[in-house]
Amino acid sequence: MITQAPRGTKDWFGKDMDQRTYLENMFKELCASYNIHEIITPVFEHTELFQRGVGETTDVVQKEMYTFEDKGHRSISLKPEGTAGAIRAYLQNGLANEPQPIKMFYITPAFRYEKPQSGRLRQHHQFGVEFVGAESPLAEVELITLVSTFIKKIGLKDAKLHINSIGCEHCRKEYNKALLSYLKEHEEHLCPTCRERMEKNPLRVIDCKVPECKEIVKDAPRTIDYLDDECKAHFEELKSLLEALNIPYEVDTEIVRGLDYYTKTVFEFVNEDGFTLCGGGRYDNLVHEIDGKISMPSVGFGMGVERILYFLEEEGVDLPCTRDIDLYVGILGQEAKAKAYQIVVDLRNQGFVVETDYLGRSVKAQMKYANKLNAKNTIIIGDDEIAKNEGNVKNMETREITTVSLDKIADCLK
């Protein structure tokens, strides 16, 4: 039906839009305090970017991307996540030549063809940060601190930090051998997708959500037991920093994340029901995967806006996201319309939230409307008020009436 939005999308308006705007503004302000600068990348990219960056064996690339051929016969995909595009922009715009690190944040739509569920739509929106050019675990700590602070600021209480290390490409080789050997013993009980995954990228099997596969991988080898000296030292330093900063965490060896570009640290903020509120980690090879020339250590995270809003509602958190209407200016008579509206404009220019009548209602109907809008104050402007250059400002809560000069209304509102 033409009057219905496509499945897995939604319209933003009213309270939902107010809450989303509130979250976006808070996220931007928080990133500014961390000296993280905003980046906006295209909604679509060359499909190869996601195949090389996100990984051809991931569900995102294999099953979930919106991919099409444009009029120039190029394969184009709507972005399924924000990291690959941000790193492509980092390389294309010569940010690798700037003093490092480069810290970027984005608020972006993302597109994945999957079954719509609570907090996850086919077109959803992500907050994300990419921290490029620092190999120290302090980079992970910075992003974990930012996310933790954001979650506290918005009032979510049920969110715990889970961390793991999946090692680098060197120790991953030994781990993959051990994991593949284990999976082959249970191959006949794995789902068809995992039987295919185990040959191409066995780590993906750990991330499978099919109950039978989840049961099998409970006893599978863990990446943390196959870390080389460098990866082990990195993970130990990360834990030490978190402890020194009194940031509680849980080592969760089941976290591997669903994208191929992760190395070493992976982390999630998880609620008590096991739902992920935010996920991220280190991806030291992604710059080289995309560029093929330079390497640059990097770390980042993504957080779903819809999912955050869903869990705010679940926890009963009501964001203070709308400003009250400071004054409703009622209009009495045709002659007073221009003068009354000029007062509205002047007060708005001074930062007040002001509303007025556009429908030619009676004064009684206008006052009813002002009540419905929860206006804090009202004033009626007619010919008499203009002639005297004064009017009566009524406080709608106390019912107190104050007579003021029309050019001094702002002083009364303050």
Side-chain angles (χ1 to χ4, degrees), residues 8 22 116 164 183 189 201 222 239-240 253-254 358 383 386:
Y22 181 86
N164 189 26
L183 293 175
H189 300 293
N201 189 347
R222 294 302 192 222
K239 292 191 292 182
S240 177
T253 58
E254 291 187 8
Y358 305 95
D383 292 344
I386 293 171

Side-chain angles (χ1 to χ4, degrees), residues 113-130:
Y113 188 85
E114 57 185 340
K115 184 178 179 181
Q117 53 185 291
S118 298
R120 172 59 66 86
L121 300 174
R122 288 176 176 172
Q123 178 181 330
H124 57 281
H125 300 80
Q126 291 183 352
F127 297 141
V129 172
E130 314 300 339

Side-chain angles (χ1 to χ4, degrees), residues 70-116:
D70 70 5
K71 292 182 179 180
H73 306 293
R74 293 170 288 256
S75 182
I76 298 294
S77 293
L78 300 180
K79 65 165 79 168
E81 52 88 55
T83 298
I87 297 303
R88 190 268 312 145
Y90 169 89
L91 290 162
Q92 182 177 342
N93 293 284
L95 297 182
N97 300 320
E98 300 291 329
Q100 302 299 303
I102 300 293
K103 299 191 286 187
M104 307 173 282
F105 83 86
Y106 50 80
I107 302 171
T108 185
F111 304 84
R112 295 188 187 182
Y113 188 85
E114 57 185 340
K115 184 178 179 181

Side-chain angles (χ1 to χ4, degrees), residues 172-310:
R172 193 89 58 81
K173 288 178 183 178
E174 293 302 313
Y175 171 71
N176 282 344
K177 287 179 186 177
L179 179 59
L180 183 57
S181 176
Y182 173 84
L183 293 175
K184 282 190 175 296
E185 296 174 10
H186 304 274
E187 184 173 1
E188 61 185 59
H189 300 293
L190 293 172
C191 71
T193 302
C194 282
R195 286 199 291 270
E196 183 180 341
R197 281 173 172 164
M198 62 184 279
E199 297 295 340
K200 295 180 179 179
N201 189 347
L203 191 64
R204 293 276 65 78
V205 179
I206 302 292
D207 207 35
C208 184
K209 301 299 186 288
V210 175
E212 292 79 5
C213 296
K214 289 182 73 173
E215 188 63 30
I216 290 170
V217 301
K218 277 183 179 180
D219 299 319
R222 294 302 192 222
T223 55
I224 203 169
D225 297 321
Y226 289 81
L227 301 181
D228 61 21
D229 290 342
E230 181 192 348
C231 292
K232 191 178 295 183
H234 188 99
F235 194 52
E236 290 302 318
E237 185 179 352
L238 170 63
K239 292 191 292 182
S240 177
L241 286 167
L242 293 174
E243 289 162 10
L245 293 165
N246 295 314
I247 300 173
Y249 67 87
E250 176 182 319
V251 175
D252 184 347
T253 58
E254 291 187 8
I255 297 177
V256 295
R257 303 296 300 147
L259 308 176
D260 279 357
Y261 50 63
Y262 286 110
T263 55
K264 294 182 180 175
T265 307
V266 287
F267 65 84
E268 294 179 350
F269 282 81
V270 183
N271 73 7
E272 63 181 11
D273 294 323
F275 289 101
T276 301
L277 305 176
C278 169
R282 180 164 286 279
Y283 48 92
D284 290 344
N285 298 328
L286 181 57
V287 170
H288 189 266
E289 282 288 332
I290 293 174
D291 178 69
K293 298 173 185 175
I294 66 170
S295 295
M296 197 67 74
S298 309
V299 62
F301 72 81
M303 179 187 300
V305 177
E306 286 84 353
R307 180 155 286 199
I308 291 294
L309 287 171
Y310 173 78

Side-chain angles (χ1 to χ4, degrees), residues 385-403:
E385 286 75 18
I386 293 171
K388 296 177 183 177
N389 192 38
E390 65 179 26
N392 297 320
V393 174
K394 182 177 181 179
N395 184 303
M396 298 297 279
E397 182 178 356
T398 65
R399 319 309 286 179
E400 180 183 354
I401 294 176
T402 304
T403 301

